[in-house]
Amino acid sequence: MSYKSNLKNIKAFVFDVDGVFTDGSVYLMPDKNMCRVMNVLDGYAVVKAIKENYKICVITGGDDPMVRNRINYLGITDYYAKISNKLEKFEEFKQKYNLANEEILTMGDDLPDISMMKISGISACPQNSVAEVKALSDYISPIQGGKGAVRDVIEQVMKVQGKWILDDTKST
């Protein structure tokens, strides 16, 4: 089966943060804090997907309170931070919602994401991912992480399933 034909089976998404929801940059501020940038296009798609009852999980090795705030604002309740074994949390998420691997699209960009991506129904990555991740991905978005790659995969799934319907009920 091709990537496109498998989109109809997707009920859930698993995403990394840095390099997927962000472009991977960390801005070092004078007060010694760090700052990341997320894209509203991704946020809009996440909100739409949640409204259509897709399950969304974020698993990250980092633990930034501002990232947590943004993820919570978007309505994502399955957020796992400071995780070194991402596959363990992936399995926990899968069991929580009684999902099969084939029903999950996972988007990662770097080596810690590979274990989850290998068993997902669809593995995807942003255009600026590392070579090892690109090599195993079913789909490489033409969009870079932090620039709308998350929206790209969510929108594709929702369009195939007839759920990408225009509305403006929540700002992202």
Side-chain angles (χ1 to χ4, degrees):
M1 268 193 190
S2 73
Y3 158 76
K4 288 281 189 187
S5 64
N6 288 335
L7 293 176
K8 68 184 181 312
N9 300 326
I10 300 302
K11 295 181 181 178
F13 300 90
V14 175
F15 296 107
D16 178 34
V17 173
D18 290 320
V20 175
F21 268 102
T22 76
D23 68 2
S25 298
V26 177
Y27 298 92
L28 305 175
M29 308 305 283
D31 62 4
K32 299 183 182 172
N33 284 316
M34 295 184 290
C35 179
R36 292 169 176 82
V37 176
M38 292 187 177
N39 193 299
V40 296
L41 295 175
D42 293 336
Y44 183 78
V46 164
V47 170
K48 284 181 76 62
I50 290 170
K51 284 181 184 176
E52 290 294 332
N53 297 311
Y54 291 93
K55 304 301 179 198
I56 298 183
C57 177
V58 173
I59 305 173
T60 180
D63 189 19
D64 184 326
M66 294 307 295
V67 169
R68 181 180 300 272
N69 184 54
R70 175 68 175 163
I71 296 302
N72 289 340
Y73 174 79
L74 295 175
I76 299 171
T77 56
D78 294 290
Y79 175 71
Y80 304 98
K82 212 169 185 178
I83 304 301
S84 57
N85 182 352
K86 291 187 175 189
L87 185 57
E88 185 177 289
K89 292 301 177 184
F90 176 92
E91 290 293 340
E92 186 177 308
F93 170 72
K94 188 172 81 171
Q95 290 175 8
K96 179 178 179 180
Y97 296 105
N98 196 29
L99 294 163
N101 290 340
E102 298 74 33
E103 297 172 322
I104 302 171
L105 183 151
T106 299
M107 179 175 258
D109 73 308
D110 206 348
L111 302 180
D113 306 317
I114 288 177
S115 61
M116 303 183 300
M117 295 174 72
K118 280 184 174 179
I119 65 169
S120 294
I122 297 174
S123 59
C125 69
Q127 182 274 324
N128 55 322
S129 299
V130 299
E132 295 89 344
V133 169
K134 285 182 174 181
L136 71 86
S137 292
D138 299 309
Y139 175 71
I140 301 170
S141 176
I143 303 168
Q144 292 193 11
K147 306 294 183 190
V150 169
R151 180 184 177 130
D152 178 28
V153 293
I154 291 174
E155 187 174 334
Q156 285 188 57
V157 168
M158 290 180 71
K159 282 182 175 177
V160 163
Q161 296 180 8
K163 296 180 179 180
W164 188 260
I165 299 165
L166 299 179
D167 70 18
D168 286 311
T169 57
K170 181 174 179 184
S171 172
T172 58

